């Protein structure tokens, strides 16, 4: 491989130079050597898919609302070689992820919930159904190891990055004509295979991310895409100059495949059914953003149980797609809906603030979003509260909030550029002192979206 060609490509994708670039080059070269050791000499295609940090708009995507994520320079790398048959063999640079193999088909049996192969199988099954039949398989080595990989279970979308990485590999090796929005949409559906009814934010930002920008995405599909295809309106919003987006990882891990996530999805859907009594035309919480909360509140009980819902002709079991359950009969409808509705409006205000360069207002919205996620959506944890409190106390922090699905993971903060070193020092030391944990704190260097990096041989 031409080192200079790789260096130029990596510079473009990650926007890095000097030492950081040398580190990245070493990562790619080590991956290639490991691929050769695993599968023998021959051609290799390298592909990548980034994780993301969501600036604001949490748990709005599956309610057809608005989100504002940024693609990270932390990503999942795939070193791959096409096979003549439909087999997929997966190895991982991290020994904890033991090798997997499956045959691409219309119906690939899922591995137990949480297994890393499911993300590859979900992508393969969906593309085989929609773009097949007869997609070729591949041999691959996956690298999502620290410090360059997407930290797992940290709310930075490691799982979607893996789904997207597998999908772009299948697309590239099979020469499929599927990219951009249509590919992101397909990846969103592919991930349902793992048992979580998430939205489309993570897959869209992983594919459409642009350096220096956040993606303002409207998660309500329209049908005015090419040939009546589904289309999601989006636009790139420049990150404010003079400020850094800083991420602090609490080191407390979560899994979206547990029941909590689906329970929140269900509470939103129950809210819609209850609101339909007054507003029959609505289909998602997004449809009532513009209405005064005072009008909505009386229609949404603080708590409602399955028997009361059934008495009103609403069957909660029928509101989640078959095969997934919420494992509860108690639903906190009012506060969940209040979070989603107010959060959607905060995203709209944030985009306006960023587009006029108003970091002050954006910071206030971040703080309000955190309070709403903590009090109404109830997805914070004591460790996240500690991090947010420490972050807010640093001069130069405009605002801070939990980011991602919640129940652990990371916070995101907007910090004046010149205060980032102090932020890392103060928050890191305070967190260690209060919790005994070692928070990983890094500045988010936004990177390019997923795709093929380079073709070479080993
Ligand atoms: C997870 C899901 C996303 C989104 C976030 C919460 O990351 O995959 O679709 O719902 O949680 O905002």
């Amino acid at each position: 491989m031409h080192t200079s060609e790789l260096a130029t490509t990596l510079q473009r994708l990650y926007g890095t130079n000097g030492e950081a670039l040398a580190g990245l080059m070493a990562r790619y070269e080590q991956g290639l050597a490991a691929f050769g050791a695993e599968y023998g000499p021959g051609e290799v295609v390298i592909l990548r898919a980034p994780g993301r940090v969501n600036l604001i708009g949490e748990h709005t995507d599956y309610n057809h609302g608005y989100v504002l994520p940024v693609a990270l320079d932390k990503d999942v790398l795939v070193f791959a070689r096409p096979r003549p048959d439909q087999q997929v063999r997966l190895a991982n640079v991290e020994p904890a992820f033991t090798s997997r193999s499956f045959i691409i088909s219309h119906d690939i049996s899922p591995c137990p919930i949480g297994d890393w192969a499911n993300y590859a199988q979900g992508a393969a099954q969906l593309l085989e159904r929609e773009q097949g039949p007869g997609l070729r398989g591949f041999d691959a080595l996956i690298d999502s190891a620290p410090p360059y990989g997407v930290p797992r279970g940290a709310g930075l979308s490691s799982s979607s990055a893996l789904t997207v990485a597998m999908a772009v590999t299948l697309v590239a090796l099979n020469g499929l004509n599927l990219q951009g929005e249509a590919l992101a949409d397909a990846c969103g559906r592919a991930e349902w295979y793992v048992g979580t009814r998430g939205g489309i934010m993570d897959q869209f930002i992983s594919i459409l991310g642009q350096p220096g920008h956040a993606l303002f995405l409207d998660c309500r599909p329209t049908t005015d895409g090419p040939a009546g295809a589904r289309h999601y309106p989006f636009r790139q919003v420049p990150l404010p100059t003079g400020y850094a987006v800083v991420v602090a990882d609490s080191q407390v891990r979560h899994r979206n495949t547990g029941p909590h996530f689906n329970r929140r999805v269900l509470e939103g859907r129950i809210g819609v059914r209850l609101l339909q009594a007054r507003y029959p035309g609505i289909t998602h919480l997004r449809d009532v953003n513009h209405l005064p909360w005072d009008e909505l509140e009386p229609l949404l009980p603080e708590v409602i149980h399955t028997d009361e819902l059934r008495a009103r002709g609403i069957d909660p079991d029928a509101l989640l797609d078959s095969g997934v359950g919420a494992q509860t009969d108690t639903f906190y409808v009012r506060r969940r809906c209040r979070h989603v509705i107010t959060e959607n409006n905060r995203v709209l205000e944030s985009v306006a603030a960023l587009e006029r360069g108003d970091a002050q207002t954006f910071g206030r919205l971040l703080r309000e979003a955190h309070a709403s996620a903590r009090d109404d959506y109830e997805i914070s944890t004591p460790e996240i509260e500690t991090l947010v409190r420490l972050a807010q106390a640093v001069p130069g922090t405009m605002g801070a909030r939990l980011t991602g699905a919640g129940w652990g993971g990371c916070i995101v903060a907007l910090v004046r550029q010149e205060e980032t070193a102090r932020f890392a020092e103060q928050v890191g030391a305070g967190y260690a002192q209060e919790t005994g944990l070692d928070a990983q704190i890094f500045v988010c260097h936004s990177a390019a979206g997923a795709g093929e990096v380079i073709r070479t041989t080993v």
Side-chain angles (χ1 to χ4, degrees):
M1 178 179 49
H2 293 297
T3 313
S4 62
E5 190 192 342
L6 180 63
T8 315
T9 308
L10 298 189
Q11 247 166 346
R12 178 173 50 79
L13 294 173
Y14 297 92
T16 42
N17 272 309
E19 230 176 273
L21 182 61
L24 269 178
M25 294 279 291
R27 176 197 189 201
Y28 275 78
E29 275 152 11
Q30 280 159 17
L32 276 171
F35 180 90
E38 180 82 27
Y39 298 110
E43 58 169 311
V44 190
V45 185
I46 311 180
L47 306 105
R48 59 177 280 282
R52 60 100 185 96
V53 58
N54 190 20
L55 297 182
I56 195 163
E58 222 61 85
H59 291 275
T60 46
D61 57 355
Y62 52 81
N63 291 298
H64 277 191
Y66 307 105
V67 292
L68 192 64
V70 178
L72 292 176
D73 58 351
K74 293 183 185 291
D75 52 20
V76 174
L77 288 193
V78 186
F79 299 83
R81 177 179 296 157
R83 291 179 58 90
D85 54 19
Q86 289 208 283
Q87 191 179 12
V88 172
R89 292 196 295 169
L90 303 171
N92 200 303
V93 298
E94 292 174 274
F97 296 90
T98 49
S99 297
R100 297 280 184 271
S101 133
F102 64 91
I103 307 289
I104 301 176
S105 76
H106 262 65
D107 284 294
I108 308 174
S109 308
C111 295
I113 230 159
D115 193 291
W116 74 287
N118 282 340
Y119 298 93
Q121 295 187 177
Q125 178 178 286
L126 184 112
L127 292 179
E128 175 73 3
R129 286 183 184 181
E130 299 187 1
Q131 305 281 324
L135 293 190
R136 289 174 79 180
F138 55 87
D139 289 336
L141 175 75
I142 314 297
D143 176 2
S144 188
Y148 299 105
V150 190
R152 279 161 306 258
L156 300 176
S157 192
S158 54
S159 43
S160 299
L162 182 53
T163 302
V164 170
M166 290 290 103
V168 292
T169 302
L170 284 160
V171 165
L173 300 186
N174 284 281
L176 302 178
N177 181 19
L178 184 64
Q179 53 200 316
E181 224 188 307
L183 176 59
D185 195 15
C187 289
R189 281 176 283 124
E191 213 170 308
W192 283 24
Y193 180 91
V194 308
T196 306
R197 290 304 179 253
I200 56 160
M201 161 167 73
D202 304 345
Q203 299 80 11
F204 267 72
I205 183 61
S206 187
I207 289 169
L208 300 176
Q210 273 185 16
H213 291 79
L215 181 76
F216 171 42
L217 176 67
D218 180 344
C219 301
R220 156 147 294 170
T222 66
T223 47
D224 54 6
R230 234 170 7 182
H231 166 64
Y232 294 89
F234 63 86
R235 73 173 182 266
Q236 305 285 348
V237 177
L239 293 170
T241 44
Y243 295 90
V245 173
V246 185
V247 176
D249 181 350
S250 70
Q251 297 291 323
V252 176
R253 293 297 177 242
H254 79 114
R255 277 205 346 209
N256 285 353
T257 42
H260 299 291
F261 192 96
N262 289 337
R263 206 172 282 172
R264 298 297 188 277
V265 176
L266 182 52
E267 284 165 330
R269 292 185 186 180
I270 291 171
V272 170
R273 288 297 305 272
L274 294 168
L275 291 168
Q276 280 170 343
R278 170 84 56 82
Y279 307 101
I282 69 164
T283 59
H284 291 81
L285 286 177
R286 143 72 173 280
D287 295 315
V288 296
N289 281 346
H290 59 289
L291 296 174
W293 176 248
D294 295 354
E295 277 179 32
L296 306 173
E297 196 181 73
L299 302 170
L300 298 168
E302 194 61 71
V303 184
I304 194 161
H305 296 96
T306 303
D307 49 353
E308 299 163 71
L309 285 167
R310 293 229 163 90
R312 296 188 193 200
I314 300 170
D315 174 8
D317 293 336
L319 287 180
L320 275 182
D321 313 85
S322 56
V324 294
Q327 298 169 31
T328 184
D329 79 335
T330 308
F331 304 101
Y332 299 91
V333 177
R334 180 178 295 172
R335 63 187 93 149
R336 304 295 188 250
C337 292
R338 182 167 50 208
H339 166 76
V340 174
I341 292 165
T342 56
E343 184 81 348
N344 274 329
N345 288 320
R346 279 187 291 270
V347 178
L348 295 177
E349 280 185 63
S350 295
V351 171
L354 287 175
E355 289 183 335
R356 62 172 189 270
D358 179 355
Q360 202 84 34
T361 300
F362 181 52
R364 170 180 56 79
L365 291 163
L366 292 178
R367 295 194 297 273
E368 289 175 10
H370 181 71
S372 175
R374 178 192 60 215
D375 302 336
D376 277 350
Y377 227 59
E378 297 181 283
I379 53 174
S380 191
T381 63
E383 294 82 3
I384 289 289
E385 287 310 306
T386 303
L387 275 181
V388 167
R389 174 170 44 76
L390 292 166
Q392 301 281 15
V394 179
T397 298
M398 310 305 290
R401 58 175 283 273
L402 71 78
T403 182
W407 300 288
C410 293
I411 67 157
V412 62
L414 187 74
V415 182
R416 278 189 213 285
Q417 201 82 57
E418 64 277 12
E419 297 290 357
T420 53
R422 173 153 41 160
F423 181 100
E425 219 177 271
Q426 233 172 274
V427 175
Y431 191 65
Q433 199 184 3
E434 289 191 37
T435 64
L437 294 167
D438 181 19
Q440 296 299 306
I441 300 175
F442 59 91
V443 172
C444 160
H445 297 288
S446 54
E452 188 172 318
V453 178
I454 206 161
R455 290 188 182 227
T456 182
T457 51
V458 279

